[in-house]
Structures are given as structure tokens and as C-alpha cells.
Amino acid sequence: MMQRRFSRLVPIATATVLLAAALPVHAQTGAGATDAGSRVYAANCVACHQAGGTGVPAAFPPLAGHVPELLKRADGRTYVGKVLLFGLEGEINVNGNAFAGAMPAWSTLSDNDIADVLNYVSKAWDNGKSLPSDFKPFTSDEIKVLRTPELTSTQVYALRSGAPATATATAATPNGAGGTAPVSFTAGQVTRGSDIYSDRCVQCHGDTLDNGEFGGAPLNGKYFKQHWGGGSVAALVAYMKAKMPPDRPGSLTDQSYADLASFLLDNNDYPKGDKELPPDTASQQKLSLQRGK
């Protein structure tokens, strides 16, 4: 952990944005469920999938026009629920366009939150007009059942193509998207990443990665493990690019994001090595964050 306290201030306007993005969202029930789902979406999904559900070309797929198609599948409800719970990693094709980003697991959200946001994306952006005729709203009880058995993001990817969820990462993702080698980064990268963190991240996440002034999500411990411990480092870096820094997401270089990821991994007790964490997505997809048990 970092041993020194940082005191750099951010402008009030930026601080307000950071706080609004970082505070947890609690789902409502009954008549307020749609509003609750939109708030869960705004807090956790909008940076990648955008306010209009249009996604980001080549990285994050659109939800507008796509969610109903997924729900028309025989296993559609199970699949979309598990995507939210356990993440998704591997190249996919939507409407003839390839997307190579990675979605983290959101299992830390409550069953109510996940049900509400699934109901929101099922009907938003005119999706409701294309839903199956027998569509029923997701419920928290339905999400609770989907939490078992726990899957990796690559096993969820296997579900997308119809393969059994128990398929191995290698079989499910022949391009190595699930991470087939242990992640590697160097002490030099950790130092560079520490400098970036102190300059761009510490106000929100704090000098111990879990005590920021503006309520940023923890970047260590159980929370980090639940979100990132089952896939490749590409998922972590892709999310950082989409969300960070909050005032200018994606504004750092690929090398800077790799260095910052190295700093986070070091603070989560991943061992340093003699090979740098590569800055390109294809190489990162081959590096697993899963630890041996």
C-alpha cells in the first residue's frame, strides 16, 4: 500500500462530477422500478454503453436494438443475467460489427439493482417494441438463482455461442481472450503507475485505494477480486479506459493505462515479474488475473 498521503485538491466542478458518479445507487420497488433501473444504468453502465444505448465502436456493443434479440433466445434471460453477474470477455459480433472490449462482473450489485437495470435496458431506446410477446420483468428472486453456480467471464462467453458453461477458458475462447498465462508486470511499471495514480486517481479512491474523499469504489481487497479476479487483464484496462479519469475518460495513453493497472495489481498482491504488462488489448487478453486456489 502507498505510505504517503496526498493532498492535491480538485476543482469544485470536477469534484461534484466525481461524487455523483461514485455514490452507490439503490433500487426502488413497485412504480419506481423503471426510474431505479435508469439510475443503476447511469451509475454503472453509461460510460461504456452510452446514454442512448449506442455503445462504443469496436469496444462496447450497443444495447439499443440488441437486448431484445438476446432475450428472444431460448436461454436469453439466463444469459443476460449471467453477463451482468459474472462479466463477459471475448470478441463478439453485433449487427455485423465486431467488439473486442470486456465487461466486468457486477455481482456486487444487489439482486434488486440487477433486476431493475435489466428491466430498464430491455425497454429503453424502443427496445420494448421488439421484446418477445411473453416477456416478463426480471425479479430479484430470478437474479438470486442465477448467482449459482458462479462462472468466469469466459464461461459466460461460452454461453453466448451455445457451448456448455463448464467449458474451459481455452475451449470457450480460442483467441485466448480468457487469459491463458499469468499476468506479468515490472517494478518499474508499478512506480510509473503510482505517479499516475497520485496525479489522476487519488482524490476519488484515496491513498490506500479505498478511502477517497469523493467515494470512489475500492480498488483493492474483496471488491477488486470480485470484479476482476476471474478474467484477463484486458477487462480491467478496458474498463479503466471507459471510465477513467471521470472528467476525460480514455485520455491517457495505452502505456499509461497499462502502468496504472500494474500499480493496482501490485497493491492487490499480484507478484511482480521481469516482463512488462503490454499496452495492447490483444496481448492483455492472454494474461489471466485468476489466482491459483
Side-chain angles (χ1 to χ4, degrees):
M1 290 296 167
M2 300 174 68
Q3 300 298 316
R4 55 198 178 99
R5 184 79 181 175
F6 297 95
S7 59
R8 183 172 175 240
L9 299 178
V10 292
I12 292 177
T14 301
T16 302
V17 173
L18 290 173
L19 180 59
L23 289 176
V25 176
H26 300 288
Q28 297 179 356
T29 58
T34 299
D35 289 341
S38 68
R39 289 197 294 273
V40 176
Y41 183 85
N44 301 288
C45 316
V46 73
C48 297
H49 295 291
Q50 304 298 296
T54 54
V56 176
F60 304 108
L63 301 180
H66 183 48
V67 172
E69 294 305 312
L70 292 174
L71 291 175
K72 289 175 182 177
R73 294 172 31 160
D75 62 344
R77 294 178 70 92
T78 296
Y79 171 72
V80 297
K82 288 185 180 295
V83 167
L84 263 291
L85 287 167
F86 307 119
L88 180 68
E89 195 166 349
E91 184 174 309
I92 65 173
N93 190 286
V94 179
N95 298 328
N97 299 310
F99 296 87
M103 178 170 172
W106 289 102
S107 57
T108 53
L109 292 177
S110 70
D111 295 336
N112 277 331
D113 283 349
I114 292 178
D116 285 341
V117 77
L118 283 175
N119 288 328
Y120 172 72
V121 300
S122 295
K123 296 183 178 181
W125 319 298
D126 287 333
N127 280 349
K129 297 178 180 179
S130 303
L131 286 173
S133 58
D134 60 349
F135 174 80
K136 296 180 180 180
F138 288 88
T139 66
S140 59
D141 288 341
E142 181 178 4
I143 302 304
K144 182 178 180 179
V145 170
L146 293 178
R147 290 182 182 272
T148 306
E150 185 175 349
L151 302 179
T152 66
S153 58
T154 52
Q155 288 172 326
V156 177
Y157 182 78
L159 290 176
R160 186 179 182 90
S161 60
T166 53
T168 64
T170 301
T173 55
N175 293 327
T180 57
V183 65
S184 176
F185 56 92
T186 66
Q189 281 190 295
V190 173
T191 299
R192 298 196 302 266
S194 176
D195 291 340
I196 297 169
Y197 183 88
S198 66
D199 184 53
R200 307 302 294 271
C201 314
V202 71
Q203 294 89 356
C204 192
H205 298 284
D207 59 357
T208 61
L209 283 72
D210 59 3
N211 65 338
E213 296 178 63
F214 304 112
L219 300 178
N220 57 7
K222 182 179 180 180
Y223 186 92
F224 187 92
K225 180 180 179 181
Q226 287 180 330
H227 273 77
W228 311 111
S232 78
V233 73
L236 172 61
V237 174
Y239 188 74
M240 290 165 57
K241 287 181 178 179
K243 299 276 279 188
M244 301 297 168
D247 57 339
R248 287 190 300 159
S251 60
L252 305 181
T253 66
D254 288 347
Q255 185 63 60
S256 292
Y257 281 112
D259 294 343
L260 184 55
S262 299
F263 169 74
L264 298 182
L265 294 176
D266 182 63
N267 277 271
N268 282 276
D269 299 322
Y270 284 85
K272 291 184 283 289
D274 58 0
K275 294 182 180 180
E276 287 208 348
L277 178 64
D280 63 290
T281 300
S283 297
Q284 291 169 357
Q285 285 177 332
K286 299 176 182 178
L287 301 176
S288 175
L289 293 182
Q290 190 167 8
R291 304 173 190 261
K293 296 183 179 181

